[in-house]
Amino acid sequence: MPTVLVLLALMPFIYIAAPLLHMFASVKGTDIVASLSNQEMIRALGTSVLSAAITTLLALLFGLPTAFLLALKRFPGRRLLEALLLLPMLLPPVVGGIGQLNLYGPNTGIGALFAGHGITLTNSVIGIVLAQTYITSPFMILAAQAGFEEVPKELHEATRVLGGGMWNIFWNVSLPLTRAAIGAGVLLTFARAIGEFGATMIVSYHPYTLPVDIWVQFTSGGMNQIIPIAIVVAVFALLVALTSSLGRRKH
């Protein structure tokens, strides 16, 4: 029976690894090198890295206070807010993109208002960041919230006894003790932003991000053209996943 249990436990790993291993085995190294010199892919990669970095920074700036208060405070409607945070992760990303386009697209009041000041909220890097932030910010909040909840409450009480307020608890006590969880949240948010496709395609088709460029090249050149690029992206994602896993282990 233990052998059966081990075999069943191995199935998810086999299921995840098999397509990637087959993809690696079906392409030549020279094709991967050629993909790395593809100027269009390099531009798309640059756009993805830039927008994902801004997205992660915004998620960090706004997500940490949210995570801290959700972890610390008990108030009516808290569970409803936590459920709301899960929606971007549960909804099809395309639906999130349609909702955003309907709110601040070029034909809406908000979109027109910003356009009047020279700021384009769609089909721009700003649009990419808005789409990525909508989809990925819950990763940061949930990872940080889990870390904040593990901080001993006795340390909070000791800070209050010494005259410290909420900011002291956040900045001097909780934040230093939650660095590993926050680091894992940063990596997850960044990696998810790099791979975001559905909402980004709806809100900001141009400039191409890496996933949108992969889709465009797949529709124009087929499977053989896209596999080397997909391998480059898979290696990058694997490195981020390993780093995130190491961070969680330290935590």
Side-chain angles (χ1 to χ4, degrees), residues 17-29 32 227 231:
L20 298 176
L21 292 175
H22 184 266
M23 197 165 61
F24 274 87
S26 63
V27 70
K28 298 176 182 176
I32 297 176
I227 283 182
I231 286 178

Side-chain angles (χ1 to χ4, degrees), residues 88 101 151:
L101 195 64
V151 176

Side-chain angles (χ1 to χ4, degrees), residues 108-250:
T108 66
I110 296 176
L113 178 65
F114 277 86
H117 292 81
I119 302 173
T120 307
L121 298 182
T122 57
N123 283 321
S124 64
V125 173
I126 294 176
I128 296 171
V129 170
L130 290 172
Q132 289 179 346
T133 301
Y134 184 86
I135 299 298
T136 66
S137 55
F139 289 88
M140 174 70 75
I141 295 171
L142 294 176
Q145 183 183 351
F148 285 134
E149 287 175 344
E150 292 185 10
V151 176
K153 297 297 183 292
E154 292 81 3
L155 295 177
H156 297 172
E157 295 301 324
T159 305
R160 288 192 181 95
V161 169
L162 293 173
M166 189 73 76
W167 176 257
N168 297 100
I169 295 173
F170 172 69
W171 188 258
N172 297 321
V173 178
S174 295
L175 210 54
L177 295 175
T178 318
R179 282 180 298 186
I182 294 172
V186 166
L187 289 170
L188 287 172
T189 303
F190 183 78
R192 183 64 185 85
I194 287 282
E196 212 299 305
F197 173 68
T200 302
M201 187 179 67
I202 296 294
V203 176
S204 186
Y205 190 72
H206 295 283
Y208 288 166
T209 59
L210 196 55
V212 174
D213 184 55
I214 288 174
W215 171 252
V216 170
Q217 295 201 39
F218 173 70
T219 54
S220 62
M223 189 69 78
N224 291 334
Q225 184 167 332
I226 205 62
I227 283 182
I229 299 176
I231 286 178
V232 173
V233 176
V235 170
F236 176 78
L238 180 61
L239 291 174
V240 173
L242 284 172
T243 307
S244 176
S245 177
L246 288 172
R248 287 202 306 272
R249 188 171 182 179
K250 287 179 181 177

